[in-house]
Amino acid sequence: MRAIRRFTVRPVLPPALAALGELAVNLRWSWHPETQDVFVEVDPDLWESTGRDPVRLLGAVSRERFDELAADEGFLERLRAARADLEHYLTADRWYQRRVAADGGSGGPGPRAVAYFSPEFGITAVLPQYSGGLGILAGDHLKAASDLGVPIVGVGLLYKHGYFKQSLSREGWQQETYPVLDPDELPISLLREPDGSPASISIQMPDGPDLVARIWVASVGRVPLLMLDTDVEGNPEHYIDVTDRLYGGTSEHRLRQELLLGVGGVRALRVFSRITGAPEPEVFHTNEGHAGFLGIERIRELTVATSGPQLDFETALEVGRASTVFTTHTPVPAGIDRFPRSLVEQYLNDEGGATPGVPTARILALGTEDYAGGDAGVFNMAVMGFRLAQRANGVSKLHGEVSRGMFQGLWPAFDEAEVPIGSITNGVHAPSWVAREVFGLATSQGADGDADGTDSFWNAVDKVPGTDVWSVKRTLRERLVVDARKRLAKSWEKRGAAKAELKWIEDALDPDVLTIGFARRAASYKRLTLMMREPERLKALLLHPERPVQLIIAGKAHPADDGGKKLIQDIVRLSDDPEVRHRIVFLPNYDIAMAKPLYPGCDVWLNNPLRPYEACGTSGMKAALNGGLNLSVLDGWWDEWYDGDNGWAIPTADGVDDIDKRDDLEAAALYDLIENEVAPRFYDLDHDGVPTRWVEMLRHTLKSLGPKVLATRMVRDYTRQLYAPAAINARALNSDYEGARDLAAWKAKVKGAWPEVRVEHVESSGVGDAAEVGASLTVRAFVCLGALESSDVEVQLVHGRAQSDDTLVDTTAVALTLAETYDGGRHRFDGDIALTRSGPFGYTVRIVPSNGLLTSYAELGVVATA
């Protein structure tokens, strides 16, 4: 029989235990062990059987147990302490508030609020609204912002099925299931109007009724996360399906999701501020291009909305750009959302589209690939992201370089190094990923557990005896082995094995064997099966009589990616081999819950992508913070922070065009490292049974990487380098919109006059053909600016090393000074530079636009060179 109606009955807590409900609905518990201890005390067995989910736990506790707890003074005291600690966390001044106070309490330069948009957020396993690295990064961003007091509000979607659950067939083929999530059983609440009715937003759809979405709110410490849900009574079925699952469906389905995230997300922010009194965001941050339509909705608000200032399009564009930050996360074009131009035109037409009144032609122009090699028939979400944001960044230094190369077509007049895409390297939220015992090593030496950004905290590891360090790592390895055996047994039972067949699992893995972890999406460039290039050599490493190795592997392939599924199947078939199955395991359904024991329990974290296709790759950061050593290709963050002593760099066969040959060479290098360096060092024990050289590497890893790989460092960087400057620019433009009008008019003037701008003649003196270090070069540049003023431009002397074809590399640009002005818009600019290095030297002169409200002289994409 099937129920004709389904609903969730929530528990009624005794008044003395009301604080349990408050603790359960603020997700800070997910990274605060002391709060988790309170829930464990409620019922240890239920805590485990409910998946360590406080909401489900409280729904499963008996009335009798609640009565016992309400009469237990010791428990009530601990509950009051946890409640008081949460209250202090939510209300006390933190880094951001102290930073503002140091600025005189004026509220600047930091923004009043920052809206952070992402299609997925990985906060905790009990809120499964994430698929992989992008979502985990977004979740860590919110949690770190909460710890720092940065006034961020997250914006995402609430997916009815979340991402899929992964299992394996008997043959090792990935299978997907999509369990239905009941919002009433999640740690979220419905945003309601003052009269108690659910708050909602609507979006106009072509040839149909408006799409309506509810707004759910999750409390991520101090940060509210708004999630839009279209499972609303009255929506047609195909509208209800818009928030069915992450990254599924047709192009049209994805476009609807991204319209809901971008356009609907801005509208949800307005409703949230109206109802709660929260400040309107001054800065908008889009985490990858999925939310790019937020910029179009903001233009609509400023141009055609009756409640807005009724600005012209160009002025509104400048207002939006000044306050928008765009972060790109992919180093490969295939990772970017590109929609048919005709489909975008259908959903964003002037009259019946999602942003009525905004000219369709202008919207399409923002996403068009109108550059060499582009496809005029598609709408590129990343291209629109760059054009709607004044500040853009990649997620590691190397990824910033790759991104500048990928998108140089948007700024074709400038060298790749000058493309205005910076970088802020990702970080991870230590309290979420570091084992309690690892923190305990530092605090046992008097270190402050809250001072994660200070050298004193990380240097405390030097004071911990090696025996204690190694004892903790052994404990964590054993915990991982126990967890992996349970997961392995469940997986085999789902594959159809009888329990009688699974006796061997009791001895699978060993808490005293070198443990290497590898967990990531099964995308081809991540090379899940590189370790299998020579199966017999891999087996020899796994079964070495004195220095054995064990591998724990996990990861999901996209449901439509049969190639990725085949990689998983190849790994599973090897791990099914009775000869080695006790040394290599594949654990299905990789998620936050699995990651919690995995990172601390591994001795080595393996990462072998095809360089340079790993944008950042934060899993190795989590391992490092738990005393794990990285064994990785120099890609993403590892290229930036590997120092020769905090792990191992897998040599790469750069320049080898044959992919198979390249994989063979790099696999051989990987085997050599494990056999000749990694395993011998792990098993080189002193008289106390401690591998002293290994422990020294572990200490160095924590000291050298600990302060760098933190999400708090990352969010501080975003705040200082992007959010605060964006707020300053936005205030300059938005106070009465005159600044924006002036900037738009200035840009139009510059672009209109630029065809007449040129360098007419350059003279130099001070050095001859045999120049020496220490000589001074004097340059005079005679330029024509046409209708522009000298203050509209900067005339630059660009110098550097000259290649054999006269190409300049390692360049430096020096502004020349206006010396004389002549009739007809002509001017002379002068300057001097000292020759400070020997070798081939070259220079040129160029003219670029100059305005204090630009973030880069490349922003307008125009330049005039000699």
Side-chain angles (χ1 to χ4, degrees):
M1 288 185 292
R2 294 177 61 86
I4 62 171
R5 184 184 173 204
R6 182 178 182 275
F7 53 88
T8 298
V9 179
R10 291 184 177 269
V12 177
L13 297 169
L17 302 179
L20 282 173
E22 296 179 52
L23 295 176
V25 297
N26 192 302
L27 295 174
R28 189 221 185 190
W29 64 260
S30 67
W31 70 87
H32 193 247
E34 292 78 10
T35 303
Q36 295 170 26
D37 290 344
V38 173
F39 291 118
V40 171
E41 193 173 352
V42 169
D43 191 313
D45 293 336
L46 275 180
W47 175 247
E48 293 299 328
S49 65
T50 57
R52 302 186 177 191
D53 181 343
V55 172
R56 290 180 60 201
L57 168 74
L58 297 181
V61 173
S62 67
R63 185 71 193 183
E64 292 74 22
R65 178 56 179 159
F66 278 141
D67 289 342
E68 290 176 7
L69 292 170
D72 184 338
E73 280 302 322
F75 176 79
L76 293 179
E77 181 57 34
R78 290 184 287 277
L79 177 59
R80 283 191 289 268
R83 172 65 185 79
D85 183 76
L86 176 62
E87 178 67 20
H88 182 265
Y89 175 85
L90 296 176
T91 58
D93 286 352
R94 305 190 74 80
W95 171 80
Y96 191 83
Q97 287 69 38
R98 293 190 291 269
R99 176 177 177 274
V100 170
D103 195 54
S106 63
R112 292 187 301 273
V114 176
Y116 182 90
F117 287 67
S118 178
E120 51 175 307
F121 286 91
I123 309 293
T124 167
V126 307
L127 188 61
Q129 300 293 311
Y130 60 93
S131 70
L134 182 72
I136 298 299
L137 181 278
D140 281 8
H141 197 105
L142 296 195
K143 288 185 273 191
S146 174
D147 290 345
L148 294 170
V150 179
I152 280 181
V153 53
V155 182
L157 303 181
L158 180 68
Y159 302 96
K160 186 175 184 178
H161 299 283
Y163 202 51
F164 69 89
K165 286 187 174 293
Q166 178 196 48
S167 59
L168 301 172
S169 71
R170 185 77 192 206
E171 294 74 32
W173 192 255
Q174 173 179 293
Q175 298 177 318
E176 302 95 26
T177 55
Y178 293 88
V180 176
L181 301 174
D182 181 354
D184 288 330
E185 294 180 343
L186 299 175
I188 59 179
S189 59
L190 197 59
L191 182 66
R192 295 186 180 276
E193 297 285 355
D195 64 3
S197 61
S200 66
I201 60 95
S202 63
I203 302 176
Q204 192 169 326
M205 292 280 110
D207 303 321
D210 288 357
L211 170 69
V212 178
R214 297 178 294 182
I215 305 167
W216 297 86
V217 183
S219 296
V220 187
R222 299 166 70 112
V223 171
L225 169 58
L226 312 184
M227 295 178 289
L228 295 169
D229 160 34
T230 58
D231 190 0
V232 177
E233 187 175 350
N235 270 344
E237 192 64 32
H238 61 290
Y239 285 8
I240 290 174
D241 288 343
V242 168
T243 52
D244 59 349
R245 62 188 61 170
L246 258 166
Y247 304 140
T250 63
S251 289
E252 185 170 14
H253 182 76
R254 288 286 295 274
L255 179 61
R256 286 174 176 163
Q257 286 189 332
E258 297 189 9
L259 283 169
L260 179 62
L261 176 59
V263 176
V266 172
R267 295 177 186 178
L269 284 167
R270 306 309 185 203
V271 173
F272 180 73
S273 291
R274 172 177 57 79
I275 292 174
T276 66
E280 295 276 4
E282 287 189 281
V283 174
F284 291 75
H285 183 178
T286 175
N287 189 37
E288 201 38 274
H290 309 284
F293 290 121
L294 74 86
I296 307 300
E297 170 61 9
R298 294 185 64 207
I299 290 173
R300 186 198 67 82
E301 290 182 327
L302 293 164
T303 57
V304 298
T306 55
S307 59
Q310 307 284 305
L311 305 177
D312 63 90
F313 185 94
E314 297 298 340
T315 301
L317 178 60
E318 296 305 330
V319 170
R321 289 189 75 253
S323 55
T324 301
V325 172
F326 173 59
T327 298
T328 176
H329 285 265
T330 179
V332 290
I336 296 168
D337 280 339
R338 300 162 85 226
F339 296 107
R341 184 181 173 94
S342 58
L343 185 65
V344 175
E345 187 173 12
Q346 176 187 352
Y347 275 86
L348 288 154
N349 64 72
D350 296 22
E351 297 180 1
T355 54
V358 181
T360 308
R362 301 303 303 270
I363 296 173
L364 293 173
L366 289 167
T368 190
E369 297 182 356
D370 55 354
Y371 45 80
D375 183 348
V378 302
F379 186 94
N380 187 309
M381 294 297 288
V383 167
M384 179 178 67
F386 286 116
R387 286 175 171 156
L388 285 173
Q390 195 177 34
R391 290 167 173 80
N393 69 286
V395 292
S396 69
K397 283 187 176 179
L398 180 59
H399 180 233
E401 295 174 16
V402 171
S403 298
R404 288 189 286 276
M406 280 179 64
F407 296 104
Q408 187 181 3
L410 294 173
W411 297 272
F414 290 88
D415 291 342
E416 183 178 305
E418 296 180 299
V419 168
I421 302 173
S423 65
I424 290 180
T425 304
N426 284 344
V428 298
H429 185 244
S432 292
W433 303 109
V434 177
R436 200 170 183 174
E437 292 85 350
V438 175
F439 274 120
L441 288 175
T443 56
S444 69
Q445 302 301 316
D448 181 357
D450 290 328
D452 59 4
T454 64
D455 290 339
S456 62
F457 180 82
W458 302 105
N459 288 337
V461 71
D462 280 339
K463 303 175 185 177
V464 182
T467 51
D468 292 355
V469 172
W470 201 237
S471 174
V472 163
K473 283 302 294 182
R474 205 262 180 202
T475 297
L476 298 175
R477 200 182 308 115
E478 184 174 38
R479 183 181 300 161
L480 170 59
V481 167
V482 170
D483 183 76
R485 287 172 181 169
K486 289 178 182 177
R487 293 177 184 275
L488 197 59
K490 285 184 180 179
S491 176
W492 270 100
E493 288 173 17
K494 283 189 176 182
R495 294 174 68 186
K499 289 190 176 182
E501 298 178 68
L502 304 179
K503 184 74 174 173
W504 64 271
I505 292 178
E506 295 177 6
D507 296 315
L509 306 177
D510 185 324
D512 292 306
V513 166
L514 170 61
T515 303
I516 300 177
F518 184 94
R520 52 195 26 90
R521 287 185 300 113
S524 59
Y525 76 88
K526 292 180 181 286
R527 299 194 294 185
L528 186 69
T529 55
L530 185 72
M531 65 189 80
M532 293 171 52
R533 296 296 289 188
E534 297 181 49
E536 292 307 313
R537 191 167 182 193
L538 175 60
K539 285 185 178 181
L541 291 173
L542 297 173
L543 302 175
H544 194 286
E546 297 172 358
R547 299 189 298 273
V549 172
Q550 59 193 13
L551 278 163
I552 299 179
I553 306 164
K556 295 178 178 180
H558 187 280
D561 181 9
D562 283 350
K565 292 180 183 181
K566 179 64 167 59
L567 295 177
I568 290 173
Q569 186 179 47
D570 291 343
I571 286 284
V572 171
R573 284 178 171 169
L574 175 64
S575 68
D576 286 351
D577 183 345
E579 185 182 6
V580 294
R581 65 188 180 185
H582 64 300
R583 286 283 185 262
I584 178 171
V585 299
F586 180 87
L587 303 180
N589 204 40
Y590 178 46
D591 63 1
I592 290 175
M594 183 192 294
K596 293 283 190 176
L598 181 60
Y599 293 120
C602 287
D603 301 293
V604 172
W605 195 257
L606 176 62
N607 188 31
N608 47 231
L610 192 65
R611 189 179 189 273
Y613 294 143
E614 185 80 271
C616 185
T618 57
S619 59
M621 295 179 174
K622 302 180 185 93
L625 287 174
N626 281 287
L629 304 180
N630 277 267
L631 173 60
S632 176
V633 164
L634 288 174
D635 202 3
W637 74 275
W638 190 236
D639 178 75
E640 192 172 332
W641 289 330
Y642 168 68
D643 67 7
D645 295 314
N646 51 14
W648 294 271
I650 302 170
T652 52
D654 298 339
V656 176
D657 294 329
D658 184 325
I659 295 298
D660 285 336
K661 178 66 173 176
R662 179 171 176 169
D663 284 355
D664 286 342
L665 291 171
E666 295 184 13
L670 171 60
Y671 297 136
D672 286 345
L673 276 173
I674 295 174
E675 181 178 8
N676 300 322
E677 297 189 38
V678 180
R681 182 163 297 198
F682 180 87
Y683 288 104
D684 181 15
L685 308 179
D686 66 9
H687 61 278
D688 291 320
V690 176
T692 52
R693 291 194 304 153
W694 186 279
V695 170
E696 286 311 306
M697 283 186 75
L698 184 157
R699 294 184 201 273
H700 177 70
T701 291
L702 286 169
K703 289 189 296 180
S704 65
L705 295 178
K708 296 176 181 176
V709 302
L710 297 176
T712 44
R713 186 273 311 153
M714 172 186 71
V715 173
R716 285 187 180 105
D717 286 350
Y718 272 103
T719 301
R720 293 173 176 134
Q721 298 174 30
L722 298 177
Y723 297 160
I728 292 171
N729 260 25
R731 289 167 190 157
L733 297 183
N734 298 1
S735 58
D736 57 5
Y737 301 112
E738 282 307 308
R741 289 189 181 94
D742 291 345
L743 181 59
W746 178 84
K747 284 188 174 182
K749 179 184 76 168
V750 169
K751 288 179 179 178
W754 205 258
E756 303 300 319
V757 175
R758 59 188 178 273
V759 180
E760 295 188 321
H761 178 62
V762 178
E763 297 177 352
S764 65
S765 61
V767 296
D769 292 336
E772 295 181 344
V773 171
S776 180
L777 173 70
T778 298
V779 173
R780 288 183 170 189
F782 297 86
V783 305
C784 176
L785 301 181
L788 298 182
E789 303 293 330
S790 59
S791 58
D792 293 325
V793 302
E794 183 170 286
V795 180
Q796 298 176 337
L797 173 67
V798 182
H799 62 90
R801 284 192 300 111
Q803 308 272 62
S804 58
D805 62 355
D806 291 336
T807 301
L808 294 177
V809 296
D810 298 333
T811 57
T812 301
V814 178
L816 300 180
T817 304
L818 178 65
E820 288 187 338
T821 296
Y822 314 110
D823 292 338
R826 287 172 165 78
H827 309 265
R828 193 188 93 218
F829 287 79
D830 296 350
D832 301 285
I833 58 166
L835 305 184
T836 58
R837 63 185 181 190
S838 59
F841 178 87
Y843 70 90
T844 188
V845 171
R846 71 179 179 185
I847 309 169
V848 293
S850 177
N851 186 300
L853 291 172
L854 300 183
T855 58
S856 164
Y857 47 73
E859 189 170 316
L860 272 68
V862 295
V863 64
T865 56

